């Protein structure tokens, strides 16, 4: 299905321009998606009121997670669509769906105004966001991989994750400015909606950028594009690769959601630091994440994916609990920043490597579907569950460092999957191709 046509397909005119257009939409989608986690405490009070703050927070993170469970569905449905009609058109559709979900959350009245309808409407908004995000990350990663120059696939695909860090940075800046300009009570009452409205205002600009995207030469070179039923059948037939891809991606998603979405809540409610301190740490983490992602991608292009994946996973497993235990024993801004910088290094280098790995091990003709499904399962079942799991672990064990157990579990899955995928020095895709 993926054989090249006889005629040479048109080449991308400007790779830098293509990267910026593709990742600009990814920036907006992740900006909107992660605002929900940043303002979890305020959203809990607005839509999930409870006398027990922990219960309200668990309800909010539960909705955050339920939205993420739509990711695998979006990966299959929208992934099949993109593999059939093209990367460019598919990325425009995902942007439209995310925009609708964001508007729904931004304008939804509070529980005090319309009662139980409020959390239901918010949940619908989250489901739309999750459905879109399920294929957005995979679609952008595949697009970047297919326009990359020889020997630089890891470096190119790493900019998918780097664009997310720009989104986190902008969201953190807005949050920090709001916390300085408004009393905490005002932010909790209605100020948290402002960043959502900012996201809505950016939508038209991103639509214009995405409409000028060029289709990838790799997609245009395909003689035959699979139908939706063929995509579904192929994804099912390659379930083992999808499962291993999910296991490899788990460490990326859990660490990312821990250092970005959960950090503001962890800093305020667990470590009892100021909201400004927690947001400042998140902001600085976004900067270092942006730096480490292309470093990881470029490094894995030079020395291989396997050694980088195994080294970072092993470091994460051995240092997660000691680092968090040191932090919670005597919380300070400096110690929280140091621990988050460590996790940022792990996330960035691992993520930059993982994206290149995932693109390479999935079948080319259903690349978007299989990549998106593997990543969506990792994010839906593990990554976006991280805030809930961390809150639950602390509540059940009384150990403020217990979220480390969740990160250690993710690292273990990564080690097992990397050893399996690269067994004998070849990827699973290469071994299966040779066996045919």
């Amino acid at each position: 299905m993926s054989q090249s046509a006889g005629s040479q397909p048109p080449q991308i005119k400007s790779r830098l321009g293509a990267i910026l257009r593709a990742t600009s939409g990814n920036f907006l989608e992740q900006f909107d998606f992660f605002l929900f986690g940043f303002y979890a405490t305020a959203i809990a009070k607005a839509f999930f009121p409870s006398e027990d703050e922990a219960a309200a927070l668990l309800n909010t993170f539960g909705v955050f997670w339920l939205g993420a469970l739509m990711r695998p569905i979006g990966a299959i449905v929208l992934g099949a669509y993109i593999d059939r009609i093209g990367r460019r058109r598919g990325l425009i559709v995902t942007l439209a769906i995310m925009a609708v979900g964001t508007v729904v959350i931004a304008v939804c009245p509070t529980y005090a105004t319309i009662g139980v309808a409020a959390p239901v409407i918010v949940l619908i908004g989250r489901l739309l966001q999750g459905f879109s995000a399920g294929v957005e990350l995979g679609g952008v990663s595949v697009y970047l991989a297919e326009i990359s120059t020889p020997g630089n696939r890891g470096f190119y695909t790493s900019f998918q994750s780097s664009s997310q860090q720009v989104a986190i940075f902008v969201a953190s800046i807005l949050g920090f400015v709001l916390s300085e300009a408004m009393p905490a009570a005002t932010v909790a009452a209605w100020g948290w909606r402002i960043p959502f409205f900012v996201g809505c205002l950016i939508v038209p600009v991103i639509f214009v950028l995405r409409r000028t995207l060029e289709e990838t030469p790799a997609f245009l070179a395909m003689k035959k594009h699979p139908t939706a039923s063929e995509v579904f059948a192929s994804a099912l037939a390659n379930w083992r690769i999808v499962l291993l891809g999910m296991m490899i991606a788990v460490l990326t998603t859990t660490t990312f959601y821990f250092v970005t979405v959960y950090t503001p809540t962890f800093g305020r409610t667990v470590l009892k630091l100021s909201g400004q301190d927690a947001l400042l740490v998140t902001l600085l983490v976004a900067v270092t994440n942006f730096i480490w992602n292309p470093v990881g991608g470029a490094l894995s292009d030079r020395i291989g994916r396997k050694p980088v994946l195994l080294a970072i996973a092993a470091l994460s497993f051995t240092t997660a609990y000691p680092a968090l235990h040191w932090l919670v024993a005597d919380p300070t801004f400096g110690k929280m920043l140091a621990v988050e910088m460590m996790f940022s290094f792990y996330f960035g280098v691992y993520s930059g490597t993982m994206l290149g790995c995932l693109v390479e091990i999935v079948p080319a003709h259903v690349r978007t579907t299989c990549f998106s499904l593997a990543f969506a399962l990792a994010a839906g079942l593990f990554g976006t569950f991280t805030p809930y799991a961390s809150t639950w672990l602390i509540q059940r064990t009384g150990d403020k460092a217990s979220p480390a157990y969740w990160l250690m579990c993710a690292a273990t899955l990564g080690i097992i999957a990397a050893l399996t995928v690269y067994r004998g020095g070849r990827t699973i895709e290469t071994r299966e191709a040779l066996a045919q």
Side-chain angles (χ1 to χ4, degrees):
M1 289 185 197
S2 58
Q3 293 174 351
S4 299
S7 59
Q8 183 69 23
Q11 299 299 304
I12 296 293
K13 295 177 182 177
S14 170
R15 283 185 170 81
L16 178 59
I19 291 173
L20 292 175
R21 292 185 187 95
T23 57
S24 63
N26 191 49
F27 156 82
L28 178 64
E29 297 219 11
Q30 299 312 307
F31 175 77
D32 294 340
F33 195 78
F34 292 119
L35 284 177
F36 195 94
F38 282 168
Y39 292 101
T41 302
I43 291 174
K45 294 178 181 178
F47 302 112
F48 306 95
S50 173
E51 295 181 1
D52 185 348
E53 182 181 357
L57 200 56
L58 283 173
N59 286 335
T60 305
F61 283 138
V63 171
F64 183 82
W65 182 49
L66 286 174
L69 289 181
M70 284 294 290
R71 283 185 165 202
I73 299 175
I76 295 173
V77 175
L78 295 177
Y81 179 73
I82 292 177
D83 278 328
R84 181 169 56 87
I85 61 95
R87 318 309 187 200
R88 173 187 173 275
R89 290 167 61 187
L91 290 177
I92 293 174
V93 171
T94 64
L95 182 61
I97 296 172
M98 176 64 78
V100 173
T102 301
V103 171
V104 167
I105 295 174
V107 303
C108 180
T110 64
Y111 185 93
T113 304
I114 61 173
V116 71
V120 173
I121 293 173
V122 169
L123 176 59
I124 292 172
R126 284 299 298 168
L127 293 178
L128 288 172
Q129 288 184 325
F131 184 73
S132 170
V135 78
E136 170 69 16
L137 304 184
V140 172
S141 297
V142 168
Y143 185 90
L144 295 176
E146 290 184 350
I147 68 169
S148 64
T149 55
N152 293 298
R153 179 178 286 170
F155 180 70
Y156 270 72
T157 56
S158 70
F159 283 100
Q160 179 269 103
S161 186
S162 289
S163 68
Q164 294 182 49
Q165 312 319 311
V166 178
I168 300 300
F169 181 83
V170 173
S172 299
I173 285 286
L174 282 174
F176 189 80
V177 170
L178 284 177
S179 65
E180 289 291 321
M182 296 180 176
T186 303
V187 174
W190 60 268
W192 62 270
R193 295 181 187 267
I194 295 176
F196 281 92
F197 285 121
V198 171
C200 294
L201 293 174
I202 299 174
V203 169
V205 178
I206 307 301
F207 265 117
V208 172
L209 289 174
R210 278 246 165 128
R211 287 186 63 186
T212 60
L213 266 180
E214 302 168 81
E215 188 53 80
T216 68
F219 183 83
L220 294 173
M222 292 182 183
K223 284 184 177 180
K224 181 181 183 298
H225 302 299
T227 63
S229 60
E230 289 172 336
V231 172
F232 296 149
S234 183
L236 182 62
N238 288 283
W239 66 269
R240 184 165 173 259
I241 295 177
V242 171
L243 179 61
L244 288 169
M246 179 203 75
M247 292 171 64
I248 287 177
V250 164
L251 183 57
T252 289
T253 60
T254 53
T255 307
F256 178 69
Y257 281 92
F258 183 82
V259 300
T260 56
V261 175
Y262 183 61
T263 287
T265 300
F266 185 65
R268 288 192 304 268
T269 64
V270 178
L271 303 180
K272 304 303 180 183
L273 299 176
S274 70
Q276 290 91 331
D277 282 349
L279 282 171
L280 183 57
V281 168
T282 306
L283 188 154
L284 294 173
V285 163
V287 174
T288 54
N289 284 351
F290 179 86
I291 295 171
W292 289 123
N293 263 281
V295 169
L299 180 63
S300 68
D301 283 334
R302 300 298 178 268
I303 68 173
R305 320 286 185 218
K306 180 180 179 181
V308 180
L309 293 174
L310 290 177
I312 297 299
L315 283 171
S316 182
F317 181 86
T318 56
T319 62
Y321 189 84
L324 284 182
H325 181 73
W326 173 73
L327 170 60
V328 302
D330 181 26
T332 64
F333 171 79
K335 291 174 70 173
M336 183 179 183
L337 180 61
V339 171
E340 295 291 312
M341 288 295 104
M342 180 190 76
F343 285 128
S344 171
F345 170 75
Y346 293 164
F347 161 74
V349 175
Y350 189 92
S351 177
T353 304
M354 180 278 301
L355 292 169
C357 163
L358 208 53
V359 168
E360 291 166 349
I361 68 173
V362 296
H365 65 287
V366 286
R367 183 171 280 155
T368 303
T369 303
C370 288
F371 182 109
S372 299
L373 183 56
F375 197 91
L377 288 170
L381 300 179
F382 293 90
T384 50
F385 191 61
T386 297
Y388 187 98
S390 299
T391 303
W392 184 86
L393 282 169
I394 292 172
Q395 187 182 47
R396 295 290 293 180
T397 66
D399 182 0
K400 296 178 180 179
S402 58
Y405 299 136
W406 186 245
L407 300 176
M408 292 167 68
C409 174
T412 301
L413 292 176
I415 292 171
I416 294 172
L419 289 174
T420 303
V421 166
Y422 293 101
R423 188 174 68 249
R426 292 182 174 138
T427 67
I428 185 172
E429 181 188 47
T430 302
R431 292 196 304 274
E432 291 182 352
L434 290 173
Q436 293 176 350

